[in-house]
Amino acid sequence: MFMTSVIGHFIHGEHVSRGERTAAVFNPATGLAEKKVRLADKATVEEAIASAEKAYPAWRNTPPLKRARVMSRLKQLLEENADTICAMITAEHGKVLNDALGELQRGIENVEYASYAPELLKGEHSKNVGPAIDSWSEFQPLGVTAGITPFNFPAMVPLWMWPMAVACGNTFVLKPSERDPSASIFIAELALQAGLPPGVLNVVNGDKESVDTLLADPRVQAVSFVGSTPIAQYVYATGTAHGKRVQALGGAKNHAVVMPDADINNAVNALMGAAYGSCGERCMAVPLVVAIGDATAEAVIAGLKAEIAKMKVGPGTDTGNDMGPLVTREHFEKVKGYVDIGVAEGATLLVDGRTLDVRDANGERSNGYFLGPCLFDNVKPGMRIYQEEIFGPVLGVVRVASLEEAMNLINAHEYGNGTCIFTRDGEAARHFCDNILVGMVGVNVPLPVPVAYHSFGGWKRSLFGDLHAYGPDAVRFYTRRKTITQRWPASNDPGRAMFSFPSSR
Amino acid sequence: MFMTSVIGHFIHGEHVSRGERTAAVFNPATGLAEKKVRLADKATVEEAIASAEKAYPAWRNTPPLKRARVMSRLKQLLEENADTICAMITAEHGKVLNDALGELQRGIENVEYASYAPELLKGEHSKNVGPAIDSWSEFQPLGVTAGITPFNFPAMVPLWMWPMAVACGNTFVLKPSERDPSASIFIAELALQAGLPPGVLNVVNGDKESVDTLLADPRVQAVSFVGSTPIAQYVYATGTAHGKRVQALGGAKNHAVVMPDADINNAVNALMGAAYGSCGERCMAVPLVVAIGDATAEAVIAGLKAEIAKMKVGPGTDTGNDMGPLVTREHFEKVKGYVDIGVAEGATLLVDGRTLDVRDANGERSNGYFLGPCLFDNVKPGMRIYQEEIFGPVLGVVRVASLEEAMNLINAHEYGNGTCIFTRDGEAARHFCDNILVGMVGVNVPLPVPVAYHSFGGWKRSLFGDLHAYGPDAVRFYTRRKTITQRWPASNDPGRAMFSFPSSR
Amino acid sequence: MFMTSVIGHFIHGEHVSRGERTAAVFNPATGLAEKKVRLADKATVEEAIASAEKAYPAWRNTPPLKRARVMSRLKQLLEENADTICAMITAEHGKVLNDALGELQRGIENVEYASYAPELLKGEHSKNVGPAIDSWSEFQPLGVTAGITPFNFPAMVPLWMWPMAVACGNTFVLKPSERDPSASIFIAELALQAGLPPGVLNVVNGDKESVDTLLADPRVQAVSFVGSTPIAQYVYATGTAHGKRVQALGGAKNHAVVMPDADINNAVNALMGAAYGSCGERCMAVPLVVAIGDATAEAVIAGLKAEIAKMKVGPGTDTGNDMGPLVTREHFEKVKGYVDIGVAEGATLLVDGRTLDVRDANGERSNGYFLGPCLFDNVKPGMRIYQEEIFGPVLGVVRVASLEEAMNLINAHEYGNGTCIFTRDGEAARHFCDNILVGMVGVNVPLPVPVAYHSFGGWKRSLFGDLHAYGPDAVRFYTRRKTITQRWPASNDPGRAMFSFPSSR
Amino acid sequence: MFMTSVIGHFIHGEHVSRGERTAAVFNPATGLAEKKVRLADKATVEEAIASAEKAYPAWRNTPPLKRARVMSRLKQLLEENADTICAMITAEHGKVLNDALGELQRGIENVEYASYAPELLKGEHSKNVGPAIDSWSEFQPLGVTAGITPFNFPAMVPLWMWPMAVACGNTFVLKPSERDPSASIFIAELALQAGLPPGVLNVVNGDKESVDTLLADPRVQAVSFVGSTPIAQYVYATGTAHGKRVQALGGAKNHAVVMPDADINNAVNALMGAAYGSCGERCMAVPLVVAIGDATAEAVIAGLKAEIAKMKVGPGTDTGNDMGPLVTREHFEKVKGYVDIGVAEGATLLVDGRTLDVRDANGERSNGYFLGPCLFDNVKPGMRIYQEEIFGPVLGVVRVASLEEAMNLINAHEYGNGTCIFTRDGEAARHFCDNILVGMVGVNVPLPVPVAYHSFGGWKRSLFGDLHAYGPDAVRFYTRRKTITQRWPASNDPGRAMFSFPSSR
């Protein structure tokens, strides 16, 4: 097997490569290990932290407007280099190129929001909190902060984190997924080019050793994490046990409710992308449709089957494809196994993607990790394919009699990341939005990912912490409040000793 | 020993008393155990949690304006019952009555802020995040929340927590200090009278068993804590390990910097109250003065000695006294021990409060836990009386040569709760405020406790978590962000399947 | 005719009465002139302005929290004196007592909002707008401000204005309607009792002479007005020509759109109160129903006729009545005249309230200004009863074929105060809200008066000025922004002459 | 005299030139009329308004994020074309090139702020304003808006206005000063290139006929103006008489207070640029120094004289010059006349710039409008050179005994645009900032022009209207608040007729 390159780290503005352990980086469309990535040992991570610590004082004192302008320039560089970045994503993650572009664009929107820093960092000023006493708040940076990101959005999720962190005046150590590390390194280079001083953003590739180092090192003030729920919980518990602030986003099992009054064509089209886009490897994907009434279920299923029949699956480099391969062989096997389990559990497999036959350019059966779209009917609570996050192109239809029954299901589920309802009815929409225990809710919007100027976060076991990712919450997460109370006594006013607690009496 | 009463719990609007363990509640001014308090076992705490859970749905759906008005009425009842509450505080904590009134008034200000709930709970609405797509955020309550509060502000600190929590739509279980539990129970009765439905606020008295039950119970969504740093860290690590959001405020060692240009009379008067008010049993007390230059030190010391000579120490029920007893015999011994240590460490004891002789009404030496004001000169970093939180009427003077040296000391200290600077110079003040690693900073204000419409919180090991107590941060801590994205498609618009990630392209 | 009392002015905390012109104040339910009101001459108004000017400096320097607390106490006093105030309103305006209570309660909500002043007056603080340069905004009071209010809400509309003005630190001269002046004077007394210093709020009764004095006096910084559009325009043009800031709210002709999918019972019930409550003498009343389709029109009309048949009209002191008299004989004649006009214009008069026969206690025909509810069908644009504000219990049904046609009508109308739509359809509601040129929009809410923590204001010729009444906009209207840019140069930094314009380069 | 070009208008994305009246555009450094500008007649202005009206609906419906991105691209184009723009400014206004760059950079910062539109346009969302009733505010654009700008900042002041207006969804007609119109036309071309659709921004050159057309045309919803106070007042009164919203910024006479404790070198250097930069043709220039005490006055004067002696005056194209010519011959004569008046009034002319001899490349005496820096001592209130805005390089020193006396002078002056204080003393600074009746205050900052994310505006006769220019206030000025109250009744809930006014009872 021929390795074209070895991906290292990016520390203090330079590529760093050492004799550390490595892991193969596969192209999921070919099954070939085309690159290697170095897995940082503790010393390398500490070097990155030290770099961030060194860069902090000057960056902290750089006016917010100047920091924001680096983000503006980065936005422009990301747009100019979009093709390169998308090619990296597709080569390592497998998703179709224009899906990669969608992801990148969302990431750019987060960079854009970070460029509003002068507005976002305003504190509150109160005149005369007492006679001639003023008080105000400042939102000061924390110091060195860190992010740990998953394989499924190799460009977007890192861009949820570090642009806001550095716009707020922090420095950052990013540990992206070792499955698809190239985009993060490349974007770090662009950031340098945009004017980010060396050390403000460092990227280390690695595995648990890196993660544990970041969680334990006392110089790291805050950790943002996106991944699966068990790891999210581990990161939250471990980081906080070390006294840090942590926000850890975990798994999901998003339900889409289809009401009888919904426009079925519209709902079906929306569900297709939400279920099968990026092979369902999105924490906002919709793997479950909850149809209210059998007639609704039948209509939705008929529509889905017709649309699935039109889908094209193949390498992500071909933008005519709707879906590329799964990310790794292990993940392919796991997802395929869930289809087997669903059948065994008694769900009705209407479309079986396990038999998909993708050919490569030579007409040979591809070694890529391709799984066709799968559709189950009669999925029921209690089944593993209902309870667990599959993260693959497997959509299940759950039939219920009423909106209340649908909402009870959703509210009883372990996860509360996203959900949506398809309806024309204002009352149903409002009732659903108000009472559903889910953090991100769509009304006729299948993937209700908040725009960059709002914040992203689920409820229940989909998020640990109190502040959501990006948007306004990120400003608060990446800053420490300082409150100043100021009085300028007249030059000849001795005051008097006040032993009682000061108040507005 | 005669027990006048046994203090129980307040659950679902009723006094609850069971055959649990009890602890004595002492009057620090007499040393007599005048009351007992029940220490809740796990079952009692769970009953309180169940009460809060039961009360939640109706309270959550009560419009914010109605919830706010309960707070307005409570404010009024607290004002009307101030004498009763202050008498309870003084009888159990020992502080002088007008100091108790200062504390209560600050607590009332927090209730007042909670009465602004309709303004504070506004979400952000964005029109046209995409074509005809709108998005907005709602700040929904969490459910059952809990607070664990310290002995030193038996009225104020609980009022930092639960009024904001319930104004946001949550229900609450409060576990106040078992040293001085009466005020919390009484205020809970007033809240009921003000219109708070039974179960919205529950009070359980107890010890570690109560704390651990609150930290582990899955129905409790969030925990606010104020106490010492080791316990704060325990609460933070344990609560987060159970997946909760936690804010845990710990200890302090607040430095007051006196610049050569400061008005010394003014600074001395300010320091007297900050050092000795409430026997220094305040997390915002000033136990360390950092004098810039020996001349400043000499002048400050001369002033302090003159003022200390005028101080009156005795029972808190006599409002002519400046200082009452310490809270318990154990604490008295501990603080006295620190004075011994300081002498042993080589600091210069200028005023020795250990020899104080307080007489009771019969002219007998009081059994109360009275310690006179103590003043050390030549306190130095490395000494235990410099590093550790004493929480008593012990003020130490540290001499340094420059503001930079003073700031380096403060920034190197474990704690970062409060600090202040006395100066007339704008540059010094701004430089200090900007660069000091402390959460609450006073300029010529000795106790820079933020007003109720700002938030309270320290840095470093004085606070674990990302949001501060009360004020705007409390709104965010006691609510969960929900983001809704809404589109109303035209009735005949089928849309089309979009497999790429949605973005603003 | 026996006059029970002469209503004067309230200046600097005292009742002021002089030999000025007077006007009779009638009881609309009896037609008797039961009181007189003095009409201030220029000197009296100037005395009130002088009083406000004198009270300003001390009030301006009173911390916002203290000012806010006066509002809290006033809220309580208003609640305690609600019966007295409502009796005054009913005796002079005529509306039914519980309608008066509804109005008062809304006014109290504005007082409540003013009590949030410490939160509302926060400025924005920016650290490091340049290196070591900070900048922040303060919202300082204006000085003497004034309000001119209409007869239809004698308690509520004044409470829209002066509580926010004084909470912001201004002093105020109120000129209420001379038709029903008692409530304003009485509430001013309560404000004094609540702790508002003398001179902070002054009330002068009067007519055009008073208005012109307020508009011309250079000490008056800002004028808020609510009344008819011609006078609003006069006030706006005149006040601004004198260099003042002015917000002037004028007339309305609010359309309610009923969609075919609406729940007709629900819509009819909503429309009844909106059309006939307070005799339609509300700027948010609904005098026009736009029914989409003839079937909808027929159903709505059938419902309205049935409900009208149940209505009771009589003195407002009898809370069993649904509607009281019109405010004056002149207004009664004018409204009745519009019914005549409508008939002449060709609209179909379905219910004729002109023939109403109200008897007094003695069984005699009442001399009160009672007009029964009137209902027209086939009202069309171009008719005077369509175009002009009638301000009486006259409801017209307009029939159109589509929502677009309805919206075109509304958007073409001179006024743009309020409107509402009855539907179950989310798309219709969103389309209507987005594109209608009206300031306050209800979805299934017939009187979409914004709550006190939002702001009130129409579009087009319903409001002159850029800021709406009460709520957040009132804070901005009653304050002047001051922006401070601060730098504390190092003591030995001479700087250098910079002849170029300073910027972030 | 040779005319190189005739400057026309820019309407609907195209250069428009007609047979209208023209005016000469002079190069102030040579006195030559190098260009002509067309002065639009009413029809041309109406064409521009019509263009803006036509472009409005589509632009209004363009999502804020898309509108914001046009601003981002424009920012970049302005940076890339800075040299061209600055050359235009210097050729027509006369200021030195790097001063032009400073101005342009400030303008770019306003474009940058406009690019934050998605954040700035957020409304407030309130859940449950009543049971199951929600309410929110939207900030919708106005339609066609207009701006009228002065000669002294031909790039910056237009950029204060239209970028925010269009970012908010409005379309715009700009009438720049006919003295230096080129930059506005050129920047409009860049905006088109950046993606602003034709008609969203139109530029008409003209004089009073243009102004009056804009003020009277009913399609124009709002007018922003910057110029002299008499014209500002005319624009305010006329525009409002036509029912529009207007903000009109007028003249200034900014005082700089120098306290005895100020670092005199630092203050002198700061004053030099503030007094003589751009020949004092800035509404934030400092033409008056108020020295506290004679010693301060002497020191300041000594410093100023020394610095003035080093100043170089000559063509703005030579960046070695500190000051260029005045803008026109008429203005040159007027300023020179003020120096004569000052001498006649008894002020002491310490430095006389009237005798300045500037030579052109050929060694000939320049025909440019060059006036040297002038310095008066003993300027006193009552003198015309104290009261009136000179707008030239004439600095006067006023001697007073105390800060109070200085503040009384400032507060008594007609204007209240900007002011500053030089001191090291926190108390003096705070007292000054709090009590001075001026809108923009500097502490050791000579030109306290607020940064783009705050707002610009004076007090007293320096600004007519209630909202300041650019920054947060501009969002509110260029939008109309719409408040929506929404309820989705249960499908079988008929409600009931409520004749009383709806409230929270």
Side-chain angles (χ1 to χ4, degrees), chain D residues 96-317:
Chain D
V96 179
L97 278 171
N98 40 9
D99 186 25
L101 189 56
E103 151 180 12
L104 176 61
Q105 181 55 37
R106 278 277 183 167
I108 290 173
E109 292 168 26
N110 294 105
V111 175
E112 197 170 14
Y113 189 72
S115 80
Y116 307 171
E119 180 71 13
L120 304 177
L121 287 169
K122 285 176 176 173
E124 295 184 325
H125 183 272
S126 291
K127 187 74 167 290
N128 283 339
V129 298
I133 304 175
D134 303 329
S135 190
W136 70 91
S137 51
E138 298 181 358
F139 292 95
Q140 297 201 348
L142 306 170
V144 180
T145 55
I148 301 163
T149 57
F151 77 86
N152 61 330
F153 287 106
M156 180 181 77
V157 174
L159 292 174
W160 284 4
M161 298 176 183
W162 72 258
M164 283 304 294
V166 306
C168 290
N170 302 283
T171 55
F172 205 86
V173 180
L174 171 68
K175 196 216 85 60
S177 169
E178 67 275 26
R179 304 268 176 264
D180 42 16
S182 293
S184 287
I185 297 278
F186 182 73
I187 291 173
E189 289 181 85
L190 294 182
L192 195 74
Q193 199 178 322
L196 203 69
V200 174
L201 170 65
N202 305 278
V203 183
V204 290
N205 285 304
D207 51 11
K208 189 163 187 301
E209 183 172 343
S210 303
V211 170
D212 286 342
T213 305
L214 290 171
L215 293 175
D217 194 292
R219 292 168 297 182
V220 175
Q221 304 292 316
V223 177
S224 297
F225 173 86
V226 174
S228 69
T229 286
I231 309 298
Q233 191 161 16
Y234 170 79
V235 165
Y236 186 60
T238 309
T240 54
H242 284 95
K244 301 185 198 315
R245 57 174 73 184
V246 181
Q247 56 178 192
L249 283 68
K253 192 80 178 182
N254 306 315
H255 300 58
V257 176
V258 183
M259 295 288 284
D261 74 336
D263 182 317
I264 297 296
N265 284 343
N266 191 297
V268 163
N269 274 317
L271 290 169
M272 285 299 296
Y276 301 116
S278 199
C279 281
E281 294 169 328
R282 294 169 178 162
C283 66
M284 288 295 278
V286 170
L288 291 171
V289 180
V290 187
I292 311 298
D294 284 328
T296 307
E298 301 298 347
V300 167
I301 287 168
L304 290 171
K305 285 171 72 174
E307 289 295 322
I308 290 171
K310 300 180 206 160
M311 276 182 70
K312 293 195 211 152
V313 183
T317 46

Side-chain angles (χ1 to χ4, degrees), chain C residues 109 436 473 476 482 504, chain D residues 109 434 436 473 476 482 504:
Chain C
E109 291 168 27
I436 206 73
D473 267 15
R476 196 66 197 80
K482 182 181 275 187
S504 61
Chain D
E109 292 168 26
D434 186 19
I436 206 73
D473 267 14
R476 196 64 198 83
K482 182 181 275 188
S504 62

